[in-house]
Amino acid sequence: DGGITQSPKYLFRKEGQNVTLSCEQNLNHDAMYWYRQDPGQGLRLIYYSQIVNDFQKGDIAEGYSVSREKKESFPLTVTSAQKNPTAFYLCASSSGQGNEKLFFGSGTQLSVL
Amino acid sequence: GQNIDQPTEMTATEGAIVQINCTYQTSGFNGLFWYQQHAGEAPTFLSYNVLDGLEEKGRFSSFLSRSKGYSYLLLKELQMKDSASYLCAVRDYGSGTYKYIFGTGTRLKVLA
């Protein structure tokens, strides 16, 4: 079955540590997105990528980094510069054309130890 | 700038009808989406509008007025399982890229 896989489901970060969240899709989608969701809030865009080897900052990119070396993969690194990383992180993809909706992964809950 | 507004919370009774409103401001509007999200889970797609008018899909309908920057999601014959957050999202096109901008979500509580 095609879909988006995020791992791990739960992740804990120590002070000063960088952590990487994985996002893999087998939908052959060109566009991929990372969102952050805080409790009781909507989704805020961190980074997005329309094609391989290209990505753009979203509204809250500070303290995060991404790469898009392969069409299927769009990992997100939460760096030590992100002082308030505790949140639910969602990865999504779309075909990048027409009226295509976003398809979401199941999310990663990141907490600080 | 870009802005999407929707009510924070709504309460309705099982079997009733509820309308969740969404207003938006974007420079490159390219479609409006409604998603349902249960706590701790990923959003699931409900509806899509790009032209003015009403789109109906079972118990759910969505309306769009592009000139007013306004949409609503209508849920009929409410069931307890409809208790969830409902997210309004706008697809925005600019500088050769598409991005999806979400509102803060409306938490709907369905009471017996």
Side-chain angles (χ1 to χ4, degrees), chain B residues 15-33:
Chain B
I17 299 173
V18 70
Q19 177 175 312
I20 302 174
N21 296 326
C22 171
T23 58
Y24 65 88
Q25 287 180 304
T26 67
S27 53
F29 178 82
N30 194 256
L32 189 139
F33 300 80

Side-chain angles (χ1 to χ4, degrees), chain A residues 35 37 98-100 102 105, chain B residues 35 37 42 48 91 98 100 104:
Chain A
Y35 290 91
Q37 186 174 35
N99 64 356
E100 189 58 77
L102 282 178
Chain B
Y35 284 84
Q37 186 182 28
Y48 166 75
R91 185 166 130 115
Y98 290 99
Y100 297 73
T104 55

Side-chain angles (χ1 to χ4, degrees), chain B:
Chain B
Q2 298 156 335
N3 193 48
I4 300 176
D5 287 315
Q6 48 182 134
T8 303
E9 270 193 17
M10 298 183 71
T11 302
T13 305
E14 194 175 16
I17 299 173
V18 70
Q19 177 175 312
I20 302 174
N21 296 326
C22 171
T23 58
Y24 65 88
Q25 287 180 304
T26 67
S27 53
F29 178 82
N30 194 256
L32 189 139
F33 300 80
W34 284 95
Y35 284 84
Q36 180 191 62
Q37 186 182 28
H38 287 97
E41 298 181 8
T44 54
F45 170 76
L46 290 177
S47 69
Y48 166 75
N49 297 71
V50 67
L51 300 176
D52 291 353
L54 188 69
E55 293 286 338
E56 297 186 81
K57 192 185 288 187
R59 294 191 298 117
F60 296 83
S61 303
S62 58
F63 171 83
L64 176 67
S65 169
R66 289 172 297 169
S67 62
K68 295 181 179 178
Y70 168 70
S71 173
Y72 68 71
L73 179 69
L74 194 70
L75 293 77
K76 303 175 188 175
E77 302 168 14
L78 280 174
Q79 302 174 9
M80 299 299 288
K81 67 178 183 179
D82 296 329
S83 292
S85 287
Y86 291 85
L87 307 176
C88 173
V90 170
R91 185 166 130 115
D92 185 79
Y93 182 77
S95 303
T97 64
Y98 290 99
K99 58 181 181 180
Y100 297 73
I101 304 158
F102 284 79
T104 55
T106 299
R107 278 194 305 280
L108 174 66
K109 296 180 185 177
V110 179
L111 305 176

Side-chain angles (χ1 to χ4, degrees), chain A residues 75-109:
Chain A
L76 174 74
T77 296
V78 184
T79 74
S80 57
Q82 173 49 247
K83 298 306 180 186
N84 184 22
T86 297
F88 187 51
Y89 290 85
L90 285 159
C91 179
S93 71
S94 75
S95 67
Q97 303 171 22
N99 64 356
E100 189 58 77
K101 62 182 183 286
L102 282 178
F103 291 78
F104 284 91
S106 56
T108 294
Q109 176 64 50

